[in-house]
Amino acid sequence: MENEVTIVVKWSGKEYSINNLSESDTVQTLKNAIQKETGVRPERQKLLNLKLKGKIPGDDCQIGTLKLKPGFKVMMMGSLEEDIADASVPPEDIPEVINDLDIEEEEVAIENKEVYLAKIDRRIREYKVNILNSPRAGKKLLVLDIDYTLFDHRSTAETGYELMRPFLHEFLTSAYQDYDIVIWSATSMKWIEEKMKLLGVSTHPDYKIAFYLDSLAMISVHTPKYGVVQVKPLGVIWGKFDQYSSKNTIMFDDIRRNFLMNPHNGLKIRPFKQAHLNRDKDRELLRLAKYLQDIAHEEDLSSLEHKHWEKYKRRKHKGVTAKKDESLGSGDSADTS
């Protein structure tokens, strides 16, 4: 009797269980079943980790030949038709549509409210951090978002690598010289781990990630103008690790509200979207790698105007010399276009 196959599809931060498949069914049958669950048409689906002898299987390939384990999880990239018709405002991003300039008016009032500090204390006590690589003495801290910061998670591509922001590994290699690196995404831990594995971040030989933080480490705050929003309070990290503080921490995120509790430690990065159009011209990470090198000698990172990072001029400090940009490659570090 033919075995029944169940496959879990991960797409847009959610999981969909595809049941009632048999080993004789084809990949096309699987894609049709995925469309019923997600609405993404088969021709727009990219099943990134579905492989046959290291290659993407054809639509006529039988599922049984893939030798999948029960409950195998497939990471899918693909857009709904309505998303493509209005690519500038994907439905997934509707909660993010906030005027970031307006939200600055509320930062001071929110940062020190006791009710939010109490939430942070609770996260410090209850949230468990799985340390991947021990913090290093004397290093500053760089906290990075994933979606639209390091990775275009909405566009379609043959491989996840094509959706990776240009110069990601060069950027992380350079930053690792002076900073411990933490990944903080407003998604689940499993999703973070899979994305980091997909991009080759978790196994790269030239840098190491200290730990990941997921949505459970975030807190909700109420803003008079926009109501309740979720934010990433750096105080959770500072409360768990004595060596990190507002003076030596910087966070990159494409959404300003994520560092609403720590406005002086956040840098709003330009979002990386439509990878197929922007992959060859995006140089944001190269320029930010240079910025991180230039401010590494600063005693208090929170004293800097990170929103004007492109205008920063490195101040001369006694005994401090400019570093070589070896990790960026000759010429790349000078690109300020």
Side-chain angles (χ1 to χ4, degrees), residues 48 74 119 149 162 181 284 298 307 332:
L48 300 180
V74 173
K119 288 186 178 183
T149 296
E162 294 176 39
I181 303 171
E284 189 83 346
E298 294 279 358
K307 63 182 177 182
D332 287 341

Side-chain angles (χ1 to χ4, degrees), residues 46-218:
K46 300 298 180 183
L47 307 180
L48 300 180
N49 57 329
L50 198 67
K51 302 289 184 181
L52 178 64
K53 296 181 179 179
K55 297 182 179 180
I56 298 174
D59 288 346
D60 59 350
C61 176
Q62 290 187 333
I63 293 174
T65 63
L66 301 177
K67 301 186 184 304
L68 304 178
K69 296 180 180 179
F72 179 79
K73 293 186 178 182
V74 173
M75 180 179 286
M76 183 179 82
M77 296 293 173
S79 299
L80 297 168
E81 297 307 299
E82 52 266 37
D83 292 1
I84 296 169
D86 187 10
S88 62
V89 187
E92 176 179 296
D93 292 343
I94 289 175
E96 312 292 6
V97 180
I98 286 180
N99 186 330
D100 277 345
L101 295 178
D102 290 347
I103 211 165
E104 287 185 83
E105 300 172 2
E106 302 176 353
E107 288 173 345
V108 175
I110 289 173
E111 188 176 2
N112 295 308
K113 274 198 173 181
E114 289 187 10
V115 61
Y116 304 135
L117 296 178
K119 288 186 178 183
I120 293 173
D121 285 340
R122 192 178 310 124
R123 295 293 183 277
I124 293 171
R125 294 194 309 269
E126 299 176 359
Y127 185 83
K128 180 175 174 54
V129 175
N130 179 28
I131 298 177
L132 304 175
N133 295 283
S134 298
R136 298 168 295 161
K139 299 299 181 182
K140 288 179 166 59
L141 179 66
L142 172 64
V143 181
L144 297 170
D145 177 44
I146 300 177
D147 294 336
Y148 294 144
T149 296
L150 308 180
F151 180 78
D152 175 7
H153 72 127
R154 293 292 291 171
S155 296
T156 59
E158 289 294 334
T159 66
Y161 199 82
E162 294 176 39
L163 302 178
M164 179 177 75
R165 193 163 202 157
F167 304 103
L168 173 60
H169 295 303
E170 291 89 342
F171 165 76
L172 292 174
T173 298
S174 173
Y176 188 66
Q177 297 176 40
D178 301 298
Y179 301 79
D180 285 337
I181 303 171
V182 166
I183 303 295
W184 194 344
S185 177
T187 54
S188 70
M189 186 59 70
K190 287 185 177 180
W191 191 237
I192 295 171
E193 291 171 346
E194 290 199 22
K195 284 186 179 179
M196 293 300 95
K197 189 182 301 181
L198 182 70
L199 297 177
V201 169
S202 58
T203 56
H204 201 280
D206 295 331
Y207 58 82
K208 296 184 183 299
I209 305 301
F211 51 87
Y212 304 143
L213 296 178
D214 63 4
S215 59
L216 297 179
M218 299 174 69

Side-chain angles (χ1 to χ4, degrees), residues 95-96 98 100 103 229-231 255-260:
E96 312 292 6
I98 286 180
D100 277 345
I103 211 165
V229 297
Q230 295 290 317
V231 302
I255 301 169
R256 185 185 302 279
R257 76 158 189 242
N258 279 332
F259 45 82
L260 196 58

